[in-house]
Amino acid sequence: MAIKKPFFICFEGVEGSGKSTQAKLLYKFIKKNITKNVILTREPGGTLFSEKIRNLMLDKKTNISPLTEFFLLMAARNEHIITKINFYLKKKFIIICDRFFYSTLAYQHYLDGMNRKFIFDIQKKIYNKVHPDVTFLIDLNKKESKIRINKRSKKTNRFDKLSNYHFNKIRNGFLKITEMYKNKIVLIKGNKSLNEIQNEINKKTLKILNARS
Ligand code: TYD
C-alpha cells in the first residue's frame, strides 16, 4: 500500500495491559504487510537523551515530586518530538508510539491531581502540530493487570506496584479520556487473547489506512 501521508499511531493503557506487546506486533505486521517505512518508539524515551530521562524516572529508588516528574516527562517529549517524531513525519513514515499525551492526562492529571489547564498549556508549547491519528487504548482491571505483571520476566518498575486505589484512578482516567476523544481513540478490551487483540488492531489499522488513501 502506498502511504501518501504520515500516520501517527499511539498505544495507551494501564500497566500490564499488554500495550507494549501489541505495539510491537503491529509494528511487525505493518513492516511485513504494508510498508517498510515504519518505526516503533516510546514515551518517556525514544531518543538517547529521553531514554536517560526514562531511566531516571522509572528507577525504583527515585522519589521526586509530581511537578519535577512532569517537567522531566515534558523535557523527554520535547526532545522526542523535535529530533525523532517530526523527522519521520516529514518522511511520511508510519510512527507507532508506546504511550503519549493521554498518559500525561491519566497519570499527571487523574492520578497526581495536577491542574488540567496547566498540563495543556505546557503541552501546547512542545506539541506543535503533532497529534496522533489514532490511539489504541487497552483497558484492563487491576486483578488481570497484577496477574500479567507477575508473569513478566522483565524487571518491575516503580509504577508496577500501584495500590488498587491508585490503579483505578489511572484506569478510570483513561476511560474518561476515551469518552472525551471518542473519534480519536479505539478502546480495546485487554482481557481477550493476545491474538484476538492483535487481529482487532490490525483490522482497524488497515481500515483507517485504506480510508485515507
Ligand atoms: P512503561 O514502560 O510505559 O510502562 P509499562 O511497560 O509498565 O506499561 O512506563 C512508563 C511509565 O511512565 C508509566 O508508568 C506511566 C508513566 N508516564 C507518565 O506518568 N506520564 C506520561 O506522560 C508518560 C508518557 C508516561
Side-chain angles (χ1 to χ4, degrees):
M1 188 189 296
I3 304 293
K4 295 186 194 108
K5 283 189 279 180
F7 194 53
F8 187 24
I9 308 171
C10 292
F11 278 81
E12 299 278 11
V14 288
E15 330 283 320
S17 60
K19 60 171 182 49
S20 306
T21 306
Q22 291 297 341
K24 268 185 216 131
L25 289 170
L26 180 63
Y27 168 77
K28 285 186 191 157
F29 174 80
I30 292 175
K31 195 149 199 172
K32 191 169 171 219
N33 300 291
I34 303 176
T35 175
K36 297 265 177 288
N37 293 346
V38 53
I39 60 152
L40 175 62
T41 187
R42 67 176 177 184
E43 288 220 341
T47 73
L48 216 65
F49 186 79
S50 301
E51 287 289 328
K52 285 185 187 171
I53 296 180
R54 179 190 178 88
N55 289 337
L56 274 176
M57 266 190 56
L58 297 189
D59 190 322
K60 277 186 187 158
K61 292 191 281 286
T62 294
N63 187 9
I64 50 176
S65 82
L67 191 60
T68 309
E69 183 165 88
F70 173 72
F71 282 126
L72 286 176
L73 283 162
M74 293 302 108
R77 180 165 300 151
N78 196 41
E79 279 308 302
H80 190 209
I81 292 176
I82 291 172
T83 63
K84 192 169 182 182
I85 296 187
N86 276 345
F87 176 81
Y88 285 105
L89 285 174
K90 278 197 197 107
K91 281 179 159 266
K92 300 192 174 64
F93 266 54
I94 297 179
I95 299 164
I96 303 171
C97 191
D98 185 350
R99 292 197 188 280
F100 199 60
F101 179 60
Y102 299 138
S103 278
T104 315
L105 281 183
Y107 285 79
Q108 278 63 54
H109 173 64
Y110 287 105
L111 175 67
D112 293 337
M114 279 183 63
N115 183 279
R116 223 186 138 78
K117 182 175 178 305
F118 174 71
I119 294 178
F120 270 95
D121 285 348
I122 303 286
Q123 179 70 22
K124 266 186 221 143
K125 295 269 179 221
I126 62 164
Y127 226 4
N128 217 346
K129 292 187 177 68
V130 180
H131 295 280
D133 292 291
V134 64
T135 295
F136 292 107
L137 200 151
I138 308 181
D139 179 50
L140 200 67
N141 67 31
K142 173 74 180 166
K143 205 172 146 202
E144 298 264 359
S145 151
K146 203 169 169 196
I147 296 170
R148 296 254 184 98
I149 289 170
N150 288 341
K151 273 192 203 153
R152 273 186 196 167
S153 52
K154 78 166 189 179
K155 285 189 293 187
T156 55
N157 65 43
R158 75 189 178 93
F159 288 93
D160 285 336
K161 292 207 162 54
L162 291 165
S163 67
N164 282 355
Y165 173 73
H166 292 111
F167 179 94
N168 284 326
K169 272 192 159 187
I170 301 165
R171 182 185 181 208
N172 292 333
F174 271 131
L175 294 174
K176 281 183 203 152
I177 294 165
T178 308
E179 276 298 304
M180 284 187 296
Y181 299 99
K182 260 191 193 130
N183 58 342
K184 290 280 176 194
I185 299 178
V186 179
L187 183 66
I188 310 264
K189 289 199 175 81
N191 58 356
K192 290 183 275 188
S193 77
L194 197 93
N195 276 346
E196 268 177 290
I197 296 177
Q198 186 188 2
N199 287 337
E200 203 176 325
I201 292 172
N202 290 351
K203 265 193 208 148
K204 188 78 191 175
T205 305
L206 280 173
K207 198 173 161 196
I208 302 171
L209 283 174
N210 278 323
R212 281 163 33 110
S213 59

